[in-house]
Amino acid sequence: MTINEIAVLLDAKISQDVFNDVPVTGAYTSDLLSDVMAHAREGGALITIQAHKNTVAVATLVNVSCIIICNNRPLPADMLAAAAEERIAVLVTGENQFSVSGRLWEFLGKK
């Protein structure tokens, strides 16, 4: 499933659209960025409410494909600029992390 397909599945807004629409290989849900650095996997999606520039820096370290911001958190301009520079998609949804994680599990987790 690609980033654009995930956006459609979640009815999420693509707020940062400078990215390659690559297949997403999994997902990791956490709001603790040190936990993300330790456990998220390359090519996956990061599901979080942490809407700030440091989230992009951590996503870059782990090489995730996209960041999914939950609960319609507002996105600061510096976060979007950093994500564009790193070519990491940023999606925003009104759903919470539990719902997003469950929905993605249905499509990405079961093989």
Side-chain angles (χ1 to χ4, degrees):
M1 175 169 276
T2 67
I3 296 167
N4 279 313
E5 290 170 335
I6 288 173
V8 171
L9 170 74
L10 298 176
D11 194 26
K13 177 184 176 193
I14 299 175
S15 296
Q16 192 304 100
D17 62 358
V18 179
F19 64 91
N20 297 323
D21 193 25
V22 296
V24 176
T25 57
Y28 193 74
T29 304
S30 184
D31 295 326
L32 184 61
L33 296 180
S34 60
D35 180 58
V36 174
M37 289 188 318
H39 300 289
R41 296 195 177 166
E42 182 175 341
L46 169 58
I47 303 165
T48 185
I49 60 167
Q50 295 292 340
H52 52 75
K53 190 176 180 178
N54 289 343
T55 306
V56 176
V58 168
T60 301
L61 286 173
V62 180
N63 201 22
V64 300
S65 300
C66 68
I67 301 169
I68 302 170
I69 302 293
C70 297
N71 297 337
N72 279 328
R73 295 278 179 136
L75 304 177
D78 65 342
M79 178 191 186
L80 295 174
E85 185 174 317
E86 297 295 339
R87 300 186 67 82
I88 296 175
V90 178
L91 286 61
V92 177
T93 177
E95 293 187 47
N96 63 36
Q97 296 101 309
F98 179 78
S99 297
V100 171
S101 298
R103 291 178 73 192
L104 285 183
W105 170 251
E106 286 294 316
F107 290 93
L108 298 175
K110 295 180 179 180
K111 300 276 179 185

